[in-house]
Amino acid sequence: MSRLVIVSNRVADLRATTQTGGLAVGLADAVRERGGVWFGWNGERDGVTGGDLHVERIGRVDRVAAPLSAQDVSDYYLGYANSVLWPLFHYRLDLVDYRPAFFAGYRRVNETFARQLLPFLKPDDLIWVHDYHLIPLAGFLRRLGCRQRIGFFLHIPFPPPDLLAASPNHAELVEALLDYDVVGFQTRTDAGNLKLYLGEHASAVQLARNRFSLGERSVVIYRFPIGIDAAGFAAMAREADEDVQIDLMRRRALGRRQIIGIDRLDYSKGLPERMKAFGQLLAQHPELEKSVTFLQIAPPTREEVGAYADIRMELETLAGSINGRFSDFNWTPIRYIRRTVSRRKLAPLLRGSQVGFITPLRDGMNLVAKEYVAAQDPEDPGVLVLSKFAGAAEEMRQALIVNPYDVDGMARRLHRALTMPLKERQRRHAALLDHIARHDARAWLGAFLAALEARDPPRAGRARGRPLAAAEGTSRAPLG
Ligand code: ADQ
């Protein structure tokens, strides 16, 4: 069996155990099982030069933590990755802050990572690169002579060609994707968007339904919807600690139901619209006063990026104004928690909530939607209200699907969720649970690695494509 090399923006803690669940742990198990390397940024900014690599041998795995300089963090991580690619890929052109220095920093860091990773690679390794921070990595590795199979998985959405074309670097980005052997997306829509781009903007040749070539390169483009450790999360949800148990008992005694939302504080998660919908529900249904609360957990992330400070302000103002309008001395309708809450607490909190309210404006997948379903008591399950723009909606059709821009519609769906008969709740939940149990994290991992390991089918003749940058008529040098 080939060794596995995982590359992600942040290097994982390989000493974590499976009991804590989560995606990084599933990947860590796979790399431990096969032996290999996990390479990524150590998360710190280290002066002007960036400092030294930190290498730690854990069993048969090298954990390689790369430092970044303050300038690199600013241009690569806060800049191109999170002020250009994140908003662009979440369809938010209005929030893109494009600066040439950001793209230069993005390329610089990816090139440095490729050079730093090289000495740790063996000829028949499988290399699996994760997410938007590292799109150009394969191109730089190829230039250094790497012939290994290299796969890429994008955790966030991939925008339609017209949106992508708004970025001055769209040709380089897509060309860089074609340096991989396998490019994986969360949904059919995302994979379809790259195929559309290749059809519209590039002289790529379609060799088979999911295989394209451009020049000498050939790539498989496929969807691999990410899953969770459903059984592990369900077990964690059944073990409520004392705090959560007391909260649950108090709510039961008062006959209060809870709507829950759990997110990183991010403008893509649709939090203001969600709060407005809850406010609308209370305005339209005075009978719900004191009998329903909304618990939103959303710790701040990426606070150095301007758009994140704005969303935080907006949310605090909204929560304050809705609470100001509806609260009573013995009832606060919205509890908005900005502190980080551990997964051990989150799981039973999801189980103890009658509605999971997950309404991103755009999301690659949204694992909280799957965690909500896994956490429920199958005898008396809650109802998932899910945005049609979360990747998860492509699979989770038995949820109550909403348009997160339609506040009124969301308020109506919330009411339906709160009044749904037990039989219907059970029926919807059983179908959802069956799906996420079969398509769990292990299945996702196995499917991606199988595609990465698969031998190339014979080429359908020599490909006729030109490099994208040339096809676009730009003078930029192609990445690969
Ligand atoms: P995220 O944008 O972080 O991830 P999501 O999938 O919702 O979004 O969450 C990932 C994990 O973080 C989940 O296990 C969740 O429980 C946890 N999490 C989220 N909010 C939390 C909070 N407030 N406190 C503690 N834990 C929290 C990106 C993409 C998603 C994609 C994932 C995985 O944006 O679309 O589903 O990667 O591919």
Side-chain angles (χ1 to χ4, degrees):
M1 198 190 323
S2 300
R3 295 191 330 156
L4 181 59
V5 175
I6 304 269
V7 191
S8 58
N9 173 55
R10 292 290 296 273
V11 65
D13 172 10
L14 290 171
R15 297 191 189 279
T17 68
T18 36
Q19 282 155 18
T20 52
L23 175 64
V25 175
L27 284 169
D29 284 346
V31 79
R32 268 194 290 262
E33 204 175 299
R34 290 171 166 255
V37 179
W38 195 315
F39 180 99
W41 174 34
N42 64 10
E44 286 160 25
R45 59 193 86 187
D46 223 333
V48 180
T49 56
D52 299 323
L53 277 188
H54 184 265
V55 185
E56 196 182 355
R57 182 93 183 154
I58 303 166
R60 292 190 298 134
V61 184
D62 284 324
R63 179 183 186 273
V64 187
L68 288 178
S69 70
Q71 189 66 47
D72 285 343
V73 174
S74 162
D75 292 342
Y76 150 81
Y77 177 71
L78 297 171
Y80 201 73
N82 285 315
S83 300
V84 179
L85 291 182
W86 179 274
L88 178 68
F89 283 19
H90 285 86
Y91 297 51
R92 292 297 299 269
L93 284 182
D94 56 319
L95 296 177
V96 171
D97 177 11
Y98 180 77
R99 301 184 208 174
F102 288 171
F103 189 57
Y106 182 67
R107 285 176 48 101
R108 182 174 69 243
V109 168
N110 271 273
E111 188 173 12
T112 307
F113 280 172
R115 258 197 263 105
Q116 290 170 326
L117 175 61
L118 194 67
F120 296 92
L121 299 178
K122 296 198 172 153
D124 60 353
D125 282 347
L126 292 176
I127 305 173
W128 188 358
V129 178
H130 287 261
D131 235 356
Y132 59 104
H133 316 83
L134 299 170
I135 293 172
L137 192 76
F140 287 118
L141 285 170
R142 298 279 185 230
R143 283 192 205 171
L144 293 169
C146 287
R147 293 287 162 263
Q148 290 90 340
R149 303 271 298 161
I150 314 181
F152 177 79
F153 183 76
L154 185 69
H155 290 258
I156 66 175
F158 191 79
D162 268 0
L163 271 179
L164 187 62
S167 150
N169 316 114
H170 62 103
E172 285 99 323
L173 287 172
V174 173
E175 191 167 319
L177 282 174
L178 301 179
D179 280 314
Y180 290 90
D181 296 292
V182 177
V183 174
F185 294 101
Q186 300 274 26
T187 65
R188 207 170 283 127
T189 306
D190 300 322
N193 283 339
L194 177 59
K195 292 180 189 175
L196 276 177
Y197 180 100
L198 291 174
E200 287 176 16
H201 289 257
S203 9
V205 178
Q206 187 159 11
L207 301 177
R209 193 159 152 244
N210 298 308
R211 179 177 288 278
F212 288 76
S213 77
L214 191 86
E216 292 299 309
R217 305 170 200 157
S218 146
V219 62
V220 171
I221 299 167
Y222 207 64
R223 81 174 179 127
F224 300 91
I226 198 164
I228 61 164
D229 169 13
F233 199 83
M236 199 154 64
R238 287 190 293 265
E239 281 175 28
D241 67 9
E242 209 176 320
D243 283 1
V244 179
Q245 268 179 22
I246 292 171
D247 176 60
L248 199 58
M249 274 161 30
R250 202 171 55 91
R251 277 194 286 117
R252 276 199 190 122
L254 293 167
R256 257 177 213 168
R257 280 158 311 156
Q258 180 164 277
I259 297 170
I260 193 166
I262 297 176
D263 308 77
R264 283 182 306 97
L265 182 48
D266 193 296
Y267 50 79
S268 65
K269 303 291 183 184
L271 296 166
E273 291 79 359
R274 199 182 301 176
M275 278 194 184
K276 284 181 197 161
F278 179 68
Q280 187 93 292
L281 173 79
L282 295 181
Q284 288 170 353
H285 295 278
E287 75 279 8
L288 290 176
E289 256 177 49
K290 298 190 187 179
S291 78
V292 60
T293 59
F294 175 30
L295 172 63
Q296 175 65 56
I297 301 175
T301 50
R302 304 174 195 164
E303 288 182 279
E304 289 162 272
V305 178
Y308 286 78
D310 296 347
I311 182 81
R312 178 173 162 176
M313 284 278 291
E314 185 182 357
L315 215 53
E316 281 172 12
T317 310
L318 256 172
S321 106
I322 295 170
N323 276 342
R325 177 170 170 202
F326 295 102
S327 288
D328 210 335
F329 73 96
N330 56 0
W331 176 56
T332 309
I334 298 182
R335 285 186 294 160
Y336 167 39
I337 298 183
R338 278 203 279 116
R339 283 165 43 181
T340 307
V341 178
S342 75
R343 289 174 68 77
R344 294 226 154 274
K345 266 204 168 57
L346 286 185
L349 277 173
L350 286 172
R351 186 179 176 90
S353 302
Q354 287 64 43
V355 180
F357 196 20
I358 318 278
T359 56
L361 302 179
R362 191 66 60 175
D363 217 330
M365 175 56 63
N366 196 301
L367 293 182
V368 179
K370 295 188 172 180
E371 289 166 353
Y372 179 75
V373 170
Q376 296 309 298
D377 173 2
E379 299 297 315
D380 186 16
V383 179
L384 176 63
V385 176
L386 179 63
S387 160
K388 66 186 199 178
F389 300 124
E394 208 174 76
E395 303 167 78
M396 304 180 82
R397 304 313 300 181
Q398 295 83 4
L400 288 184
I401 303 290
V402 295
N403 173 358
Y405 294 94
D406 175 7
V407 168
D408 232 48
M410 283 199 287
R412 282 197 303 276
R413 286 300 167 114
L414 274 182
H415 188 256
R416 176 148 178 234
L418 287 165
T419 52
M420 189 180 282
L422 177 64
K423 279 267 175 288
E424 185 179 350
R425 284 192 277 128
Q426 286 173 333
R427 184 171 48 74
R428 288 175 181 269
H429 175 259
L432 289 169
L433 186 63
D434 178 62
H435 181 88
I436 62 164
R438 278 188 292 119
H439 300 89
D440 66 355
R442 194 161 268 281
W444 169 76
L445 214 126
F448 191 93
L449 289 179
L452 190 54
E453 269 180 317
R455 292 247 149 258
D456 277 10
R459 295 268 171 91
R462 198 180 141 69
R464 294 179 305 277
R466 288 173 292 144
L468 290 193
E472 284 293 304
T474 73
S475 57
R476 266 182 227 106
L479 279 184

